[in-house]
């Protein structure tokens, strides 16, 4: 680890400084631009032709001298006034009035071109602006910024934090639902509508808030510019109403003008600088700023009054300038002489405090944010309510479809509006009526067909019974008055009684089918019903164990609350009868939930159902036992199918399993 740290330190030492890299790139750009300027100066004789070329490189300042007199400067931020420039054409270090940097000179005919690159600005002493109105807020602003978070800043950030937490909570809820649904298209319709509505509203709020903050900053700046322009016009009017109709560089006149500027500065509480027609400082209310080198004694390039055909001065101009690396506003207005011509420029600077701007912005945000938060919460609730309102008829359609059973009275949905959902509800109700009518016709046809089939079967069974009874009676008639009559009479009466009992069984079975109960669909706890039936049969005569695999309660299905017991009892009794005389008999009952259904499996380990009778298991009056009517499984199938479920069986030589499926009940919390 120590060796690695040493290597990193060595790499850091050998790595070029970012300042050196920036200086190198600026030097290369300055040399290329000096070549362009030299070519431009060869083609053109006036200095104005090179202004655009000289002002397009950031961080590089160009100065042109003629006979050691400064005649052009590309920017007025770097103060080279009175600085002795070193001789030579290579880059050399120089200490300017307000910075340190490097310079490079090049002679172009009678002109001396100097390219200067500041490396570090001279720190401003806290007492430098003590007597200034315009620049004093620079120091005060820095002091206020260090403690600003203790005031409105903290409250504003609390609102920001609350807003971010709300957005994060909404985003987490959306992500959780997306993870559960795996895709956005799999989300429920209310969630889709809520997400889309709130997303659009949220984007609208963010846009309005961002535009509001941007407008506040621009409005504050624009208002300060307007105030500065008005103040500048007042000062110009005050000067022109005095005796200074012509700007004169005479020292005595300058001293008097300077006293007048100091008087006006106290009245308007601002610094005032006046430049002559050549762009050099003539007088100032705070001359010490220029004497200390904090400000340059030449005007900004695009405010020059003479020697420029491309940048004519406007009536009033407000621009941003730099003192060291700190921006400030300054307003220029022309000073008109007695002849109505521009004799100079009046400059009134003003530092645009970031602290005051932030205070203005945060004051507005403190009033705006609570309304925004309330609007966001209301929009979320409103979007959720609208989504529920729009999808409520669809949810009713879903529940109605789930609960509807053939043969029942169709539950029509009432919807008073004639929108798209209303048309869907109307079509659903019409279709439901058609299905109900069709199902009634089908049920009636099935009932009639079943009765015809049953009548044929009963007639067949009765004929099968009456035939031997007829033959027996005929034989009995033939043996009348013979010696065999008494013996045959006893035998015949026994046969007739047996056949009459068979007819009674047939009549009973037919009566059972005729009285087939109507199934009432309702919510039933299948787990509880199963455990009750198993508890009733677990102490059977054969001592056959009945094992149950599943919960004891809490599994709900749609079926008849009473008749489902008859189904479970019948199947378990059949299983017990199939395991008679088997010491290893075992019955297993399983309860599972599969998708939208509840499945019950009742298994035994008997010999199974013979292949030749498997197709007749659910046939009326069919039974493999010596007793019974053969109607138990028929009734069980009727109850299960009327509940909307299915019943089937799987059998082999190692046992039989009856499978029952019932529709799962929709539990509403």
């Amino acid at each position: 680890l120590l060796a690695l740290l040493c290597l990193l330190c060595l790499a850091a030492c050998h790595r070029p400084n970012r300042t050196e890299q920036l200086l190198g790139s600026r030097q290369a750009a300055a040399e290329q631009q000096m070549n362009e300027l030299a070519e431009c100066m060869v083609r053109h004789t006036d200095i104005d032709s090179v202004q655009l070329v000289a002002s397009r490189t950031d961080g590089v300042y160009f100065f042109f001298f003629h006979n050691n007199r400064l005649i052009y400067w590309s920017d007025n931020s770097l103060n080279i006034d009175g600085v002795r420039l070193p001789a030579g054409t290579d880059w050399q270090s120089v200490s300017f009035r307000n910075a340190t940097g490097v310079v490079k000179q090049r002679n172009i005919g009678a002109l001396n071109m100097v390219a200067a690159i500041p490396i570090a600005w001279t720190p401003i002493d806290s007492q430098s602006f003590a007597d200034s109105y315009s620049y004093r807020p620079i120091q005060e602003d820095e002091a206020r910024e260090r403690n600003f978070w203790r005031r409105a800043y903290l409250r504003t950030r609390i609102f920001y934090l609350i807003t971010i937490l709300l957005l994060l909570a909404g985003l987490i809820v959306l992500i959780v639902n997306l993870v559960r649904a795996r895709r956005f298209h799999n989300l429920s319709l209310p969630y889709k509508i809520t997400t889309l509505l709130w997303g659009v509203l949220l984007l609208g709020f963010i846009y309005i808030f961002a535009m509001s903050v941007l407008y506040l900053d621009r409005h504050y700046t624009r208002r300060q510019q307007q105030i500065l322009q008005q103040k500048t016009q007042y000062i110009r009017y005050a000067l022109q109403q005095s005796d200074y109709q012509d700007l004169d560089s005479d020292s005595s006149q300058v001293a008097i003008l300077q006293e007048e500027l100091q008087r006006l500065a106290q009245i308007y509480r601002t610094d005032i600088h006046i430049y002559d027609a050549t762009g050099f400082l003539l007088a100032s209310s705070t001359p010490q700023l220029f004497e200390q080198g904090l400000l340059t004694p030449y005007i900004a390039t695009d405010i020059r009054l003479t020697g420029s055909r491309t940048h004519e001065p406007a009536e009033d101009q407000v621009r941003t300038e730099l003192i060291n690396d700190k921006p400030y506003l300054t307003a220029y207005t022309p000073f008109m002489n007695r002849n109505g011509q521009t004799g100079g420029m009046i400059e009134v600077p003003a530092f645009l405090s970031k602290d005051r701007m932030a205070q203005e912005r945060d004051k507005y945000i403190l009033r705006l944010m609570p309304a925004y938060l309330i609007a966001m919460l209301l929009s979320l609730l409103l979007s959720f309510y609208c989504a529920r309102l729009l999808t409520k008829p669809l949810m009713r359609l879903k529940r109605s479809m789930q609960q509807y059973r053939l043969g029942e009275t169709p539950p029509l949905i009432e919807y008073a509006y004639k929108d798209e959902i209303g048309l869907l509800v109307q079509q659903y109700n019409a279709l439901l009526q058609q299905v109900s009518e069709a199902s009634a016709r089908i049920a009636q046809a099935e009932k009639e067909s079943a009765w015809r089939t049953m009548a044929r079967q009963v007639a067949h069974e009765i004929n099968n019974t009456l035939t031997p009874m007829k033959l027996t009676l005929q034989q009995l008639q033939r043996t009348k008055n013979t010696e065999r009559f008494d013996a045959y009479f006893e035998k015949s009466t026994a046969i007739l009684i047996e056949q009459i009992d068979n007819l009674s069984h047939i009549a009973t079975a037919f009566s059972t089918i005729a009285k087939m109960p109507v199934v009432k669909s309702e919510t039933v706890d299948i787990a509880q019903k199963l455990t009750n039936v198993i508890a009733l049969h677990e102490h059977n005569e054969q001592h056959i164990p009945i094992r149950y695999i599943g919960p004891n309660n809490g599994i709900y299905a749609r079926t008849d609350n009473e008749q489902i017991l008859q189904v479970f009892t019948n199947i378990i009794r059949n299983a017990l009868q199939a395991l008679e005389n088997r010491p290893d008999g075992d019955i297993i009952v399983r309860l599972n939930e599969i998708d939208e259904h509840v499945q019950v499996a009742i298994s035994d380990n008997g010999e199974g159902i013979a292949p030749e009778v498997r197709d007749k298991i659910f046939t009326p009056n069919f039974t493999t036992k010596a007793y019974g009517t053969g109607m138990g499984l028929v009734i069980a199938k009727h109850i299960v199918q009327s509940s909307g479920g299915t019943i089937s069986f799987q059998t082999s030589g190692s046992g039989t399993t009856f499978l029952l499926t019932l529709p799962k009940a929709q539990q509403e919390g």
Side-chain angles (χ1 to χ4, degrees), residues 39-57:
E39 295 177 1
C40 187
M41 291 297 294
V42 171
R43 294 194 302 267
H44 305 280
T45 58
D46 54 70
I47 193 66
D48 295 331
S49 61
V50 298
Q51 288 186 4
L52 294 178
V53 179
S55 60
R56 72 186 184 196
T57 302

Side-chain angles (χ1 to χ4, degrees), residues 351-465:
F351 181 74
L352 199 62
S353 173
K354 292 184 292 183
D355 184 15
R356 294 175 185 172
M357 182 186 295
Q359 285 181 350
E360 290 286 332
R361 182 178 61 246
D362 288 347
K363 186 187 300 182
Y364 179 80
I365 291 174
L366 285 175
R367 293 194 298 264
L368 191 65
M369 284 298 292
Y372 269 27
L373 290 177
I374 293 173
M376 288 175 62
L377 291 176
L378 289 178
S379 65
L380 176 61
L381 296 176
L382 183 63
S383 62
F384 184 75
Y385 173 75
C386 292
R388 297 284 294 180
L389 185 64
L390 290 173
T391 58
K392 186 177 180 179
L394 298 179
M395 299 303 295
R396 290 179 60 188
L397 279 175
K398 174 187 174 184
R399 289 193 295 269
S400 179
M401 290 179 181
Q402 289 176 339
Q403 296 175 1
Y404 176 65
R405 299 291 178 270
L406 290 176
E408 296 181 352
T409 301
L412 301 180
I413 297 177
E414 296 181 359
Y415 191 79
Y417 307 105
K418 295 184 179 181
D419 53 8
E420 287 75 5
I421 297 179
L423 295 176
L424 178 62
V425 171
Q426 182 180 359
Q427 188 65 27
Y428 168 78
N429 289 336
L431 183 61
L432 201 61
Q433 287 282 54
Q434 296 176 8
V435 171
S436 178
E437 295 173 359
S439 63
R441 290 194 298 269
I442 293 173
Q444 182 65 26
E446 290 180 349
K447 186 182 295 185
E448 293 175 357
S449 176
W451 279 109
R452 285 193 294 268
T453 302
M454 185 60 63
R456 286 195 298 268
Q457 186 175 358
V458 170
H460 176 72
E461 295 293 336
I462 291 175
N463 287 330
N464 289 342
T465 304

